Amino acid sequence: MKVLISTDIEGVAGVVSPQQTRAGNPEYERARLLMTAEANAAIAGAFDAGADEVLVNDSHGDYRNMPAELLDPRARYVLGKPRYLGMMGGVEEGVTAVCMVGYHSRAQGRGILAHTINSFAFARVSFNGQELGEAGIYGALAGAYGASVVMASGDDAFIEEHRPLFPHAVFVQTKRATGQTSGLSLSPAESCAAIRAGVMQALENHGRANPLLLQAPVTVRIQTQTPALADLFCQWPTLQRLGGDEIGFEAPTVEAAVRMVNCLSAMSALLR
Protein backbone atom coordinates (compact mmCIF):
# COMPACT_ATOMS: atom_id res chain seq x y z
CA MET A 1 0.00 0.00 0.00
CA LYS A 2 1.45 3.34 -1.11
CA VAL A 3 0.14 6.41 0.73
CA LEU A 4 0.35 10.14 0.01
CA ILE A 5 0.05 12.57 2.92
CA SER A 6 -0.68 16.12 1.69
CA THR A 7 0.03 18.68 4.42
CA ASP A 8 -1.26 22.23 4.65
CA ILE A 9 -0.88 24.60 7.60
CA GLU A 10 -4.14 26.52 8.14
CA GLY A 11 -5.93 23.50 9.62
CA VAL A 12 -3.14 22.60 12.04
CA ALA A 13 -3.95 22.76 15.76
CA GLY A 14 -2.85 26.07 17.27
CA VAL A 15 -2.81 27.97 13.95
CA VAL A 16 -5.35 30.83 13.69
CA SER A 17 -3.50 33.89 12.37
CA PRO A 18 -2.18 34.86 8.91
CA GLN A 19 1.16 35.69 10.55
CA GLN A 20 1.53 32.00 11.41
CA THR A 21 1.25 31.03 7.74
CA ARG A 22 3.71 33.49 6.17
CA ALA A 23 7.47 33.06 6.10
CA GLY A 24 9.39 35.90 7.71
CA ASN A 25 7.24 36.06 10.85
CA PRO A 26 8.50 34.64 14.14
CA GLU A 27 5.11 32.96 14.65
CA TYR A 28 5.51 31.17 11.31
CA GLU A 29 8.70 29.51 12.55
CA ARG A 30 6.70 27.95 15.39
CA ALA A 31 3.73 27.06 13.19
CA ARG A 32 5.85 25.22 10.64
CA LEU A 33 7.07 22.98 13.45
CA LEU A 34 3.47 22.26 14.45
CA MET A 35 2.79 21.40 10.80
CA THR A 36 5.78 19.07 10.75
CA ALA A 37 4.65 17.33 13.93
CA GLU A 38 1.20 16.64 12.45
CA ALA A 39 2.81 15.33 9.26
CA ASN A 40 4.98 12.97 11.33
CA ALA A 41 1.92 11.79 13.23
CA ALA A 42 0.23 10.94 9.93
CA ILE A 43 3.34 9.15 8.67
CA ALA A 44 3.48 7.09 11.86
CA GLY A 45 -0.21 6.21 11.53
CA ALA A 46 0.33 5.08 7.94
CA PHE A 47 3.16 2.74 8.89
CA ASP A 48 1.17 1.53 11.89
CA ALA A 49 -1.50 0.45 9.41
CA GLY A 50 0.99 -1.47 7.29
CA ALA A 51 1.87 1.03 4.53
CA ASP A 52 4.72 -0.12 2.31
CA GLU A 53 5.66 3.38 1.21
CA VAL A 54 4.66 6.89 2.34
CA LEU A 55 5.16 10.17 0.52
CA VAL A 56 4.60 13.42 2.40
CA ASN A 57 3.74 16.44 0.26
CA ASP A 58 4.49 19.93 1.57
CA SER A 59 1.37 21.69 0.24
CA HIS A 60 1.45 25.17 1.77
CA GLY A 61 2.62 28.41 0.15
CA ASP A 62 5.92 27.87 -1.60
CA TYR A 63 5.80 24.13 -0.78
CA ARG A 64 8.94 24.18 1.35
CA ASN A 65 7.82 24.75 4.92
CA MET A 66 8.66 21.61 6.88
CA PRO A 67 12.34 21.21 7.82
CA ALA A 68 13.42 18.03 6.06
CA GLU A 69 15.66 16.92 8.91
CA LEU A 70 12.68 16.86 11.29
CA LEU A 71 10.48 14.62 9.15
CA ASP A 72 10.14 10.90 9.83
CA PRO A 73 12.99 9.38 7.76
CA ARG A 74 10.79 6.48 6.65
CA ALA A 75 8.84 8.82 4.33
CA ARG A 76 9.88 10.49 1.11
CA TYR A 77 9.41 14.25 0.89
CA VAL A 78 7.66 16.05 -2.02
CA LEU A 79 8.58 19.74 -1.88
CA GLY A 80 9.19 22.86 -3.93
CA LYS A 81 7.43 24.55 -6.84
CA PRO A 82 6.47 24.90 -9.59
CA ARG A 83 5.15 21.37 -9.96
CA TYR A 84 2.32 20.24 -12.19
CA LEU A 85 0.20 18.45 -9.58
CA GLY A 86 0.54 21.03 -6.81
CA MET A 87 -0.90 19.80 -3.52
CA MET A 88 -1.26 16.30 -5.00
CA GLY A 89 2.34 16.01 -6.16
CA GLY A 90 3.37 12.40 -5.63
CA VAL A 91 -0.01 10.88 -6.47
CA GLU A 92 1.39 9.95 -9.88
CA GLU A 93 3.76 7.50 -8.14
CA GLY A 94 1.10 4.79 -7.92
CA VAL A 95 -0.56 6.01 -4.73
CA THR A 96 -3.87 4.38 -3.78
CA ALA A 97 -4.76 6.32 -0.61
CA VAL A 98 -4.49 10.04 0.21
CA CYS A 99 -4.54 11.69 3.64
CA MET A 100 -5.06 15.46 3.85
CA VAL A 101 -3.55 16.93 7.01
CA GLY A 102 -4.00 20.54 8.17
CA TYR A 103 -6.56 21.48 5.49
CA HIS A 104 -9.09 24.33 5.71
CA SER A 105 -12.50 25.40 4.43
CA ARG A 106 -13.05 27.06 1.08
CA ALA A 107 -13.09 30.78 0.25
CA GLN A 108 -16.10 32.60 1.70
CA GLY A 109 -16.47 29.79 4.22
CA ARG A 110 -16.73 30.34 7.96
CA GLY A 111 -13.63 28.35 8.83
CA ILE A 112 -10.33 29.55 10.25
CA LEU A 113 -8.17 31.18 7.54
CA ALA A 114 -10.63 30.01 4.87
CA HIS A 115 -9.54 30.48 1.26
CA THR A 116 -9.20 28.59 -2.01
CA ILE A 117 -5.66 28.30 -3.41
CA ASN A 118 -4.99 32.04 -3.45
CA SER A 119 -6.84 34.37 -1.08
CA PHE A 120 -5.73 37.44 -3.05
CA ALA A 121 -7.05 36.14 -6.38
CA PHE A 122 -10.06 33.84 -5.94
CA ALA A 123 -13.37 34.40 -4.15
CA ARG A 124 -15.02 31.23 -5.48
CA VAL A 125 -13.96 28.32 -7.68
CA SER A 126 -16.43 25.87 -9.24
CA PHE A 127 -15.82 22.71 -11.26
CA ASN A 128 -18.81 21.46 -13.27
CA GLY A 129 -21.13 23.76 -11.34
CA GLN A 130 -19.97 22.62 -7.88
CA GLU A 131 -18.16 25.10 -5.67
CA LEU A 132 -15.00 23.50 -4.34
CA GLY A 133 -12.22 24.32 -1.95
CA GLU A 134 -8.68 23.01 -2.11
CA ALA A 135 -9.61 19.62 -0.68
CA GLY A 136 -12.33 19.12 -3.29
CA ILE A 137 -10.18 20.32 -6.18
CA TYR A 138 -7.22 18.19 -5.24
CA GLY A 139 -9.38 15.28 -4.14
CA ALA A 140 -10.75 15.22 -7.68
CA LEU A 141 -7.21 15.32 -9.04
CA ALA A 142 -6.32 12.35 -6.84
CA GLY A 143 -9.42 10.59 -8.14
CA ALA A 144 -8.28 11.13 -11.71
CA TYR A 145 -5.18 9.11 -10.77
CA GLY A 146 -7.27 6.38 -9.13
CA ALA A 147 -6.50 7.41 -5.55
CA SER A 148 -9.10 7.93 -2.81
CA VAL A 149 -9.08 10.50 -0.02
CA VAL A 150 -9.35 8.30 3.07
CA MET A 151 -8.55 10.77 5.86
CA ALA A 152 -8.55 14.53 6.41
CA SER A 153 -7.92 16.86 9.35
CA GLY A 154 -8.86 20.48 10.01
CA ASP A 155 -11.45 22.58 11.77
CA ASP A 156 -15.16 21.85 12.09
CA ALA A 157 -16.12 24.09 9.13
CA PHE A 158 -13.71 22.20 6.88
CA ILE A 159 -15.17 18.88 7.98
CA GLU A 160 -18.77 20.01 7.51
CA GLU A 161 -18.00 21.18 3.96
CA HIS A 162 -16.13 18.08 2.87
CA ARG A 163 -17.87 15.14 4.50
CA PRO A 164 -20.36 14.96 1.57
CA LEU A 165 -17.47 14.81 -0.93
CA PHE A 166 -15.60 12.10 0.98
CA PRO A 167 -18.32 10.16 2.79
CA HIS A 168 -16.10 7.20 3.69
CA ALA A 169 -13.13 9.23 4.90
CA VAL A 170 -12.06 9.51 8.53
CA PHE A 171 -12.14 13.15 9.63
CA VAL A 172 -10.10 14.46 12.56
CA GLN A 173 -11.19 17.79 14.05
CA THR A 174 -8.17 19.73 15.27
CA LYS A 175 -10.08 22.87 16.32
CA ARG A 176 -13.45 24.60 16.25
CA ALA A 177 -13.75 27.86 14.32
CA THR A 178 -15.16 30.85 16.17
CA GLY A 179 -14.12 33.30 13.45
CA GLN A 180 -11.76 33.76 10.51
CA THR A 181 -8.84 34.20 12.88
CA SER A 182 -10.04 32.61 16.12
CA GLY A 183 -10.93 29.18 17.37
CA LEU A 184 -10.92 26.59 20.13
CA SER A 185 -7.99 24.25 19.44
CA LEU A 186 -6.72 20.92 20.63
CA SER A 187 -3.23 20.94 22.09
CA PRO A 188 -0.55 19.97 19.56
CA ALA A 189 0.07 16.68 21.38
CA GLU A 190 -3.62 15.78 21.42
CA SER A 191 -4.03 16.71 17.78
CA CYS A 192 -1.05 14.59 16.74
CA ALA A 193 -2.37 11.60 18.68
CA ALA A 194 -5.79 11.96 17.03
CA ILE A 195 -4.25 12.28 13.55
CA ARG A 196 -2.08 9.20 14.03
CA ALA A 197 -5.08 7.17 15.17
CA GLY A 198 -7.26 8.59 12.39
CA VAL A 199 -4.78 7.72 9.64
CA MET A 200 -4.36 4.20 11.02
CA GLN A 201 -8.13 3.69 11.16
CA ALA A 202 -8.62 5.11 7.66
CA LEU A 203 -5.98 2.94 6.04
CA GLU A 204 -7.18 -0.21 7.74
CA ASN A 205 -10.52 0.38 6.00
CA HIS A 206 -9.31 2.21 2.89
CA GLY A 207 -10.98 -0.30 0.55
CA ARG A 208 -14.36 1.22 1.42
CA ALA A 209 -13.47 4.65 0.02
CA ASN A 210 -14.11 5.49 -3.61
CA PRO A 211 -12.16 8.03 -5.66
CA LEU A 212 -13.82 11.41 -6.24
CA LEU A 213 -14.47 11.44 -9.99
CA LEU A 214 -15.50 14.45 -12.06
CA GLN A 215 -16.81 14.14 -15.58
CA ALA A 216 -14.58 15.55 -18.33
CA PRO A 217 -14.37 17.99 -19.96
CA VAL A 218 -14.42 20.14 -16.84
CA THR A 219 -16.23 23.48 -16.86
CA VAL A 220 -14.46 25.90 -14.53
CA ARG A 221 -15.96 29.11 -13.17
CA ILE A 222 -13.99 31.52 -11.02
CA GLN A 223 -15.21 34.57 -9.16
CA THR A 224 -12.18 36.81 -8.75
CA GLN A 225 -11.58 39.08 -5.80
CA THR A 226 -11.69 42.19 -8.04
CA PRO A 227 -12.66 43.07 -11.62
CA ALA A 228 -9.02 44.03 -12.21
CA LEU A 229 -8.04 40.40 -11.68
CA ALA A 230 -10.66 39.31 -14.20
CA ASP A 231 -9.16 41.86 -16.62
CA LEU A 232 -5.75 40.30 -16.09
CA PHE A 233 -6.82 36.68 -16.39
CA CYS A 234 -8.73 37.32 -19.61
CA GLN A 235 -5.49 38.26 -21.30
CA TRP A 236 -5.40 34.47 -21.72
CA PRO A 237 -7.28 34.10 -25.05
CA THR A 238 -9.16 30.91 -24.16
CA LEU A 239 -10.77 32.41 -21.04
CA GLN A 240 -14.25 33.92 -21.17
CA ARG A 241 -15.42 36.99 -19.28
CA LEU A 242 -18.72 36.03 -17.66
CA GLY A 243 -19.22 39.13 -15.52
CA GLY A 244 -17.43 41.99 -13.86
CA ASP A 245 -15.53 39.69 -11.55
CA GLU A 246 -16.26 36.27 -13.06
CA ILE A 247 -14.36 34.26 -15.65
CA GLY A 248 -14.68 30.77 -17.08
CA PHE A 249 -13.01 28.16 -19.24
CA GLU A 250 -13.33 24.52 -20.22
CA ALA A 251 -10.53 22.04 -19.60
CA PRO A 252 -10.21 18.57 -21.18
CA THR A 253 -9.28 16.88 -17.88
CA VAL A 254 -9.27 17.56 -14.15
CA GLU A 255 -5.49 17.83 -14.24
CA ALA A 256 -5.66 20.45 -16.99
CA ALA A 257 -8.25 22.40 -14.98
CA VAL A 258 -6.07 22.37 -11.85
CA ARG A 259 -2.99 23.42 -13.78
CA MET A 260 -4.91 26.30 -15.38
CA VAL A 261 -6.18 27.52 -12.01
CA ASN A 262 -2.66 27.40 -10.60
CA CYS A 263 -1.35 29.36 -13.59
CA LEU A 264 -3.97 32.06 -12.90
CA SER A 265 -2.90 32.10 -9.27
CA ALA A 266 0.67 32.75 -10.35
CA MET A 267 -0.45 35.48 -12.80
CA SER A 268 -2.24 37.33 -10.00
CA ALA A 269 1.14 38.32 -8.56
CA LEU A 270 1.29 40.98 -11.27
CA LEU A 271 -1.39 42.99 -9.40
CA ARG A 272 -0.09 42.60 -5.88
Side-chain angles (χ1 to χ4, degrees), residues 34-250:
L34 299 177
M35 178 186 180
T36 306
E38 291 197 359
N40 280 335
I43 295 166
F47 282 113
D48 289 345
D52 301 304
E53 187 175 346
V54 176
L55 291 83
V56 59
N57 178 325
D58 192 322
S59 297
H60 174 68
D62 60 5
Y63 297 166
R64 51 187 184 91
N65 303 276
M66 298 183 291
E69 70 275 12
L70 299 182
L71 283 166
D72 189 320
R74 294 175 293 176
R76 288 194 293 152
Y77 192 9
V78 182
L79 74 165
K81 65 168 42 173
R83 57 178 188 241
Y84 291 158
L85 302 184
M87 298 175 79
M88 260 322 112
V91 75
E92 75 279 12
E93 298 289 324
V95 165
T96 57
V98 173
C99 301
M100 296 177 165
V101 175
Y103 271 60
H104 51 83
S105 62
R106 63 178 179 254
Q108 309 302 318
R110 64 173 187 84
I112 296 169
L113 300 172
H115 68 280
T116 301
I117 298 179
N118 183 325
S119 59
F120 171 77
F122 307 135
R124 286 186 172 86
V125 178
S126 297
F127 281 19
N128 289 347
Q130 183 173 13
E131 186 177 353
L132 296 174
E134 289 169 24
I137 290 169
Y138 282 101
L141 182 55
Y145 277 84
S148 302
V149 175
V150 300
M151 178 271 177
S153 69
D155 68 20
D156 59 320
F158 163 73
I159 293 171
E160 182 180 346
E161 284 178 12
H162 292 90
R163 199 182 295 279
L165 286 178
F166 311 119
H168 295 104
V170 173
F171 286 92
V172 174
Q173 183 177 320
T174 58
K175 51 197 172 186
R176 176 166 57 85
T178 57
Q180 283 281 309
T181 56
S182 64
L184 184 66
S185 178
L186 298 180
S187 70
E190 189 176 5
S191 183
C192 286
I195 287 168
R196 182 171 183 169
V199 170
M200 184 176 179
Q201 177 189 347
L203 293 177
E204 287 174 344
N205 299 290
H206 80 280
R208 296 175 54 217
N210 296 316
L212 175 60
L213 300 175
L214 296 184
Q215 185 175 355
V218 181
T219 300
V220 179
R221 297 290 181 266
I222 298 174
Q223 180 185 355
T224 62
Q225 292 286 7
T226 66
L229 283 159
D231 294 340
L232 173 66
F233 296 156
C234 284
Q235 296 292 320
W236 202 316
T238 57
L239 268 64
Q240 295 178 301
R241 189 67 170 265
L242 304 175
D245 61 358
E246 189 176 8
I247 63 168
F249 63 89
E250 190 171 277

Side-chain angles (χ1 to χ4, degrees), residues 9 17-34:
I9 200 169
S17 167
Q19 283 73 27
Q20 292 175 283
T21 70
R22 296 171 183 162
N25 293 289
E27 286 194 56
Y28 163 79
E29 295 301 326
R30 296 174 59 199
R32 70 195 295 216
L33 299 182
L34 299 177

